[in-house]
Amino acid sequence: MESLGAVIGVSRNVLPDYFLYMEQAGMIGQLRNDTGGIRGLGKVEKVYLDNTNLAYILGHESTDIGNIRETFFYNQMRVTTDVISSRISDFEIDGKTFEVGGKKKKQIQIQDADQGYVVKDDIETGYGNIIPLWHFGLTY
């Protein structure tokens, strides 16, 4: 927060307010951890643009495909359920761990998860605990 505040010329203390306003306006989504109550306030692990199209407009050719995949997954899943950051992987939903990646993504990050799933881009069908990323576009 401190380095971001320095780049845009504001105090790091006002950035959480700005992020909240942008989230309420539908511009970003803030991925939080599972800390609840007063201690959980401000515990933002990652900030995603609300729409992958915004990332392509802002990033042009340098847009990171890994971030696009995670943005898509988060954007689709947060509509119907609470998505939190995972301690061992990308996301956690109702006690299930999700690792998002391309078709060569391995299961190393979820090997210690009770219920772990690999969400892969660039595949048509799933098998075992591997789910195609595009399936999550059908959730609502």
Side-chain angles (χ1 to χ4, degrees), residues 110-127:
I110 62 165
Q111 68 185 2
D112 294 332
D114 292 333
Q115 292 181 314
Y117 300 90
V118 177
V119 179
K120 291 186 177 189
D121 193 13
D122 299 324
I123 63 170
E124 292 184 27
T125 59
Y127 50 92

Side-chain angles (χ1 to χ4, degrees), residues 24-84:
Q24 291 173 341
M27 296 172 63
I28 64 169
Q30 297 184 82
L31 181 65
R32 292 175 173 82
N33 65 19
D34 61 351
T35 304
I38 295 295
R39 295 187 70 193
L41 294 175
K43 297 281 187 174
V44 175
E45 296 292 322
K46 290 184 180 181
V47 176
Y48 292 101
L49 290 171
D50 188 62
N51 188 316
T52 56
N53 291 326
L54 293 173
Y56 282 113
I57 288 170
L58 296 171
H60 304 288
E61 296 83 30
S62 64
T63 303
D64 179 58
I65 190 64
N67 181 268
I68 293 295
R69 291 174 179 134
E70 289 184 19
T71 298
F72 177 78
F73 180 88
Y74 181 63
N75 176 279
Q76 297 302 297
M77 295 309 296
R78 73 185 182 133
V79 173
T80 58
T81 188
D82 288 330
V83 181
I84 60 174

Side-chain angles (χ1 to χ4, degrees), residues 1-2 4-6 8-18:
M1 288 286 187
E2 195 167 316
L4 181 59
I8 63 174
V10 299
S11 165
R12 71 178 185 93
N13 297 333
V14 298
L15 282 178
D17 291 338
Y18 288 173

